[in-house]
PDB file of all heavy atoms in Angstrom:
ATOM      1  N   ALA A  30      -1.901   7.724  -2.745  1.00 78.00           N
ATOM      2  CA  ALA A  30      -1.064   7.356  -3.885  1.00 78.00           C
ATOM      3  C   ALA A  30      -1.252   5.887  -4.252  1.00 78.00           C
ATOM      4  O   ALA A  30      -1.390   5.540  -5.425  1.00 78.00           O
ATOM      5  CB  ALA A  30       0.404   7.642  -3.580  1.00 78.00           C
ATOM      6  N   VAL A  31      -1.269   5.032  -3.245  1.00 78.00           N
ATOM      7  CA  VAL A  31      -1.408   3.607  -3.502  1.00 78.00           C
ATOM      8  C   VAL A  31      -2.808   3.283  -4.010  1.00 78.00           C
ATOM      9  O   VAL A  31      -2.968   2.490  -4.933  1.00 78.00           O
ATOM     10  CB  VAL A  31      -1.034   2.776  -2.260  1.00 78.00           C
ATOM     11  CG1 VAL A  31      -1.313   1.302  -2.473  1.00 78.00           C
ATOM     12  CG2 VAL A  31       0.432   2.998  -1.908  1.00 78.00           C
ATOM     13  N   THR A  32      -3.819   3.919  -3.438  1.00 83.00           N
ATOM     14  CA  THR A  32      -5.185   3.691  -3.901  1.00 83.00           C
ATOM     15  C   THR A  32      -5.318   4.074  -5.369  1.00 83.00           C
ATOM     16  O   THR A  32      -5.897   3.324  -6.170  1.00 83.00           O
ATOM     17  CB  THR A  32      -6.198   4.473  -3.050  1.00 83.00           C
ATOM     18  OG1 THR A  32      -6.112   4.011  -1.701  1.00 83.00           O
ATOM     19  CG2 THR A  32      -7.608   4.288  -3.546  1.00 83.00           C
ATOM     20  N   SER A  33      -4.769   5.207  -5.759  1.00 86.00           N
ATOM     21  CA  SER A  33      -4.816   5.631  -7.165  1.00 86.00           C
ATOM     22  C   SER A  33      -4.086   4.633  -8.059  1.00 86.00           C
ATOM     23  O   SER A  33      -4.578   4.284  -9.135  1.00 86.00           O
ATOM     24  CB  SER A  33      -4.187   7.008  -7.330  1.00 86.00           C
ATOM     25  OG  SER A  33      -4.931   7.969  -6.647  1.00 86.00           O
ATOM     26  N   ALA A  34      -2.930   4.185  -7.622  1.00 83.00           N
ATOM     27  CA  ALA A  34      -2.151   3.240  -8.424  1.00 83.00           C
ATOM     28  C   ALA A  34      -2.860   1.898  -8.533  1.00 83.00           C
ATOM     29  O   ALA A  34      -2.883   1.290  -9.617  1.00 83.00           O
ATOM     30  CB  ALA A  34      -0.762   3.062  -7.827  1.00 83.00           C
ATOM     31  N   ILE A  35      -3.468   1.431  -7.450  1.00 82.00           N
ATOM     32  CA  ILE A  35      -4.195   0.156  -7.476  1.00 82.00           C
ATOM     33  C   ILE A  35      -5.316   0.222  -8.501  1.00 82.00           C
ATOM     34  O   ILE A  35      -5.544  -0.707  -9.266  1.00 82.00           O
ATOM     35  CB  ILE A  35      -4.736  -0.197  -6.082  1.00 82.00           C
ATOM     36  CG1 ILE A  35      -3.591  -0.598  -5.146  1.00 82.00           C
ATOM     37  CG2 ILE A  35      -5.764  -1.332  -6.175  1.00 82.00           C
ATOM     38  CD1 ILE A  35      -4.019  -0.726  -3.695  1.00 82.00           C
ATOM     39  N   ARG A  36      -6.017   1.335  -8.537  1.00 85.00           N
ATOM     40  CA  ARG A  36      -7.133   1.494  -9.472  1.00 85.00           C
ATOM     41  C   ARG A  36      -6.656   1.517 -10.921  1.00 85.00           C
ATOM     42  O   ARG A  36      -7.397   1.181 -11.825  1.00 85.00           O
ATOM     43  CB  ARG A  36      -7.922   2.761  -9.170  1.00 85.00           C
ATOM     44  CG  ARG A  36      -8.540   2.824  -7.798  1.00 85.00           C
ATOM     45  CD  ARG A  36      -9.593   1.747  -7.612  1.00 85.00           C
ATOM     46  NE  ARG A  36     -10.087   1.750  -6.248  1.00 85.00           N
ATOM     47  CZ  ARG A  36      -9.802   0.819  -5.347  1.00 85.00           C
ATOM     48  NH1 ARG A  36      -9.039  -0.186  -5.653  1.00 85.00           N
ATOM     49  NH2 ARG A  36     -10.286   0.876  -4.127  1.00 85.00           N
ATOM     50  N   ALA A  37      -5.411   1.897 -11.142  1.00 90.00           N
ATOM     51  CA  ALA A  37      -4.876   1.986 -12.499  1.00 90.00           C
ATOM     52  C   ALA A  37      -4.246   0.672 -12.973  1.00 90.00           C
ATOM     53  O   ALA A  37      -4.014   0.508 -14.166  1.00 90.00           O
ATOM     54  CB  ALA A  37      -3.840   3.109 -12.575  1.00 90.00           C
ATOM     55  N   LEU A  38      -3.974  -0.245 -12.045  1.00 88.00           N
ATOM     56  CA  LEU A  38      -3.374  -1.517 -12.434  1.00 88.00           C
ATOM     57  C   LEU A  38      -4.337  -2.307 -13.313  1.00 88.00           C
ATOM     58  O   LEU A  38      -5.548  -2.299 -13.091  1.00 88.00           O
ATOM     59  CB  LEU A  38      -3.017  -2.340 -11.183  1.00 88.00           C
ATOM     60  CG  LEU A  38      -1.853  -1.816 -10.356  1.00 88.00           C
ATOM     61  CD1 LEU A  38      -1.801  -2.519  -9.007  1.00 88.00           C
ATOM     62  CD2 LEU A  38      -0.540  -1.978 -11.097  1.00 88.00           C
ATOM     63  N   GLU A  39      -3.786  -2.989 -14.296  1.00 91.00           N
ATOM     64  CA  GLU A  39      -4.598  -3.762 -15.239  1.00 91.00           C
ATOM     65  C   GLU A  39      -4.501  -5.251 -14.934  1.00 91.00           C
ATOM     66  O   GLU A  39      -3.486  -5.726 -14.441  1.00 91.00           O
ATOM     67  CB  GLU A  39      -4.124  -3.501 -16.666  1.00 91.00           C
ATOM     68  CG  GLU A  39      -4.303  -2.059 -17.089  1.00 91.00           C
ATOM     69  CD  GLU A  39      -3.793  -1.819 -18.495  1.00 91.00           C
ATOM     70  OE1 GLU A  39      -3.313  -2.763 -19.142  1.00 91.00           O
ATOM     71  OE2 GLU A  39      -3.888  -0.669 -18.933  1.00 91.00           O
ATOM     72  N   GLY A  40      -5.569  -5.967 -15.260  1.00 92.00           N
ATOM     73  CA  GLY A  40      -5.575  -7.418 -15.118  1.00 92.00           C
ATOM     74  C   GLY A  40      -5.528  -7.899 -13.690  1.00 92.00           C
ATOM     75  O   GLY A  40      -5.069  -9.003 -13.419  1.00 92.00           O
ATOM     76  N   MET A  41      -6.001  -7.070 -12.772  1.00 91.00           N
ATOM     77  CA  MET A  41      -5.939  -7.413 -11.351  1.00 91.00           C
ATOM     78  C   MET A  41      -7.111  -8.308 -10.957  1.00 91.00           C
ATOM     79  O   MET A  41      -8.264  -7.960 -11.207  1.00 91.00           O
ATOM     80  CB  MET A  41      -5.998  -6.135 -10.501  1.00 91.00           C
ATOM     81  CG  MET A  41      -4.780  -5.268 -10.614  1.00 91.00           C
ATOM     82  SD  MET A  41      -3.422  -5.939  -9.670  1.00 91.00           S
ATOM     83  CE  MET A  41      -4.008  -5.623  -8.016  1.00 91.00           C
ATOM     84  N   PRO A  42      -6.815  -9.444 -10.311  1.00 92.00           N
ATOM     85  CA  PRO A  42      -7.903 -10.238  -9.774  1.00 92.00           C
ATOM     86  C   PRO A  42      -8.574  -9.465  -8.630  1.00 92.00           C
ATOM     87  O   PRO A  42      -7.911  -8.752  -7.875  1.00 92.00           O
ATOM     88  CB  PRO A  42      -7.239 -11.501  -9.254  1.00 92.00           C
ATOM     89  CG  PRO A  42      -5.775 -11.300  -9.376  1.00 92.00           C
ATOM     90  CD  PRO A  42      -5.514 -10.028 -10.096  1.00 92.00           C
ATOM     91  N   TYR A  43      -9.880  -9.605  -8.549  1.00 92.00           N
ATOM     92  CA  TYR A  43     -10.630  -8.872  -7.530  1.00 92.00           C
ATOM     93  C   TYR A  43     -10.107  -9.179  -6.128  1.00 92.00           C
ATOM     94  O   TYR A  43     -10.018  -8.285  -5.286  1.00 92.00           O
ATOM     95  CB  TYR A  43     -12.115  -9.219  -7.634  1.00 92.00           C
ATOM     96  CG  TYR A  43     -12.965  -8.477  -6.649  1.00 92.00           C
ATOM     97  CD1 TYR A  43     -13.181  -7.101  -6.786  1.00 92.00           C
ATOM     98  CD2 TYR A  43     -13.550  -9.130  -5.574  1.00 92.00           C
ATOM     99  CE1 TYR A  43     -13.950  -6.409  -5.880  1.00 92.00           C
ATOM    100  CE2 TYR A  43     -14.328  -8.436  -4.657  1.00 92.00           C
ATOM    101  CZ  TYR A  43     -14.535  -7.085  -4.812  1.00 92.00           C
ATOM    102  OH  TYR A  43     -15.304  -6.405  -3.904  1.00 92.00           O
ATOM    103  N   SER A  44      -9.733 -10.425  -5.891  1.00 95.00           N
ATOM    104  CA  SER A  44      -9.240 -10.805  -4.561  1.00 95.00           C
ATOM    105  C   SER A  44      -7.985 -10.013  -4.192  1.00 95.00           C
ATOM    106  O   SER A  44      -7.803  -9.625  -3.028  1.00 95.00           O
ATOM    107  CB  SER A  44      -8.956 -12.301  -4.496  1.00 95.00           C
ATOM    108  OG  SER A  44      -7.979 -12.664  -5.463  1.00 95.00           O
ATOM    109  N   LEU A  45      -7.125  -9.737  -5.162  1.00 93.00           N
ATOM    110  CA  LEU A  45      -5.908  -8.968  -4.888  1.00 93.00           C
ATOM    111  C   LEU A  45      -6.230  -7.498  -4.644  1.00 93.00           C
ATOM    112  O   LEU A  45      -5.635  -6.865  -3.762  1.00 93.00           O
ATOM    113  CB  LEU A  45      -4.901  -9.123  -6.031  1.00 93.00           C
ATOM    114  CG  LEU A  45      -3.550  -8.447  -5.848  1.00 93.00           C
ATOM    115  CD1 LEU A  45      -2.880  -8.874  -4.540  1.00 93.00           C
ATOM    116  CD2 LEU A  45      -2.641  -8.758  -7.029  1.00 93.00           C
ATOM    117  N   VAL A  46      -7.184  -6.963  -5.390  1.00 90.00           N
ATOM    118  CA  VAL A  46      -7.616  -5.575  -5.149  1.00 90.00           C
ATOM    119  C   VAL A  46      -8.147  -5.451  -3.725  1.00 90.00           C
ATOM    120  O   VAL A  46      -7.790  -4.517  -3.001  1.00 90.00           O
ATOM    121  CB  VAL A  46      -8.686  -5.137  -6.178  1.00 90.00           C
ATOM    122  CG1 VAL A  46      -9.286  -3.786  -5.805  1.00 90.00           C
ATOM    123  CG2 VAL A  46      -8.095  -5.091  -7.569  1.00 90.00           C
TER     124      VAL A  46
END
Side-chain angles (χ1 to χ4, degrees):
V31 174
T32 298
S33 295
I35 289 170
R36 300 296 175 252
L38 289 167
E39 297 178 1
M41 291 283 289
Y43 182 70
S44 60
L45 184 54
V46 171

